[in-house]
Amino acid sequence: MSRVHAPTPSLAVARAVLSDDGTTSGGDVASSVGDVVGQVWEAATTPVAPPSTAVVVAMGALALAVVLVTPVWRVARHVVTIAHEASHALAALLTGRRLSGIRLHSDTSGLTVSSGRPRGFGMILTAFMGYVGPGLIGLGAAALLRQGYAVGLLWLLVVLLALMLLQIRNWFGLWSVLVTGAALVGVSWWATPTVQSAVAYAVTWFLLLGAVRPVLELQSERSRGRAATSDADILARLTRVPGLFWVGVFLVVTIGAAVLGGSWIVGPAA
């Protein structure tokens, strides 16, 4: 992690341009918006120096604690659910299915509705991507961090949440995505580069580590006969391969993503 880049100034310095009489003209508003967009783009595309190894490890330990401490996990799990349902939605769109909407519920469950062929590759991939999606998103985030794009990662997540917001179909889902997005915007806009970088690492660690626990919870529920409509059981009906096999695949992918992503984060910068 020896790569050093010029620090990126905080976006907190970006403010509206006022005319001499204290009002904002139409041209000034357009100019201000352009300045803000320009500063966001510059911050997102400028590599920054990674934090110290101690900070990176501390963020990983914090993320692990959030995953392991059940009362905290019950709240933080909503972030994993957002990534889970977004992965279903993206897979549906990429395979030509029509996305009808996404619902996020207060018990951390979710539902993504798409229409198209009831069987075939598109339906299989859509069902498969939910549980592995958070880990794969975390792996992509780790790749960006390895290149020094910590601030860029935060703004990319904001954009993805904004796109997801267009498909939310219930009030709790709307609130959940808005709160998550607002937190990321707050850090990306007002925090110092040091804090932004630390948060980006914490989010990435959480996605990588937090992707594993839902798979274990899934099998626990399946063993009690409470998950007959789970993604693993849907895949079993689509492929005639036992649901336990798919749970095993979910576990291999999420653990693999956590190990590989973690090695990218703590290893030397690319």
Side-chain angles (χ1 to χ4, degrees), residues 8-11 14 32-48 144 148-156 158-159 188-189 196:
T8 301
S10 171
L11 290 178
S32 298
V33 171
D35 289 342
V36 169
V37 171
Q39 291 210 27
V40 168
W41 178 257
E42 181 181 358
T45 57
T46 301
V48 297
L144 288 175
Y149 294 109
V151 181
L153 169 62
L154 295 177
W155 282 114
L156 177 60
V158 169
V159 171
S188 304
W189 185 262
Q196 290 170 343

Side-chain angles (χ1 to χ4, degrees), residues 9 23 49 55 58 107 189 198 209 216 249 255 259-260:
T23 60
V55 171
D107 62 356
W189 185 262
L209 299 174
L216 301 176
V249 174
I255 291 177
V259 171
L260 181 58

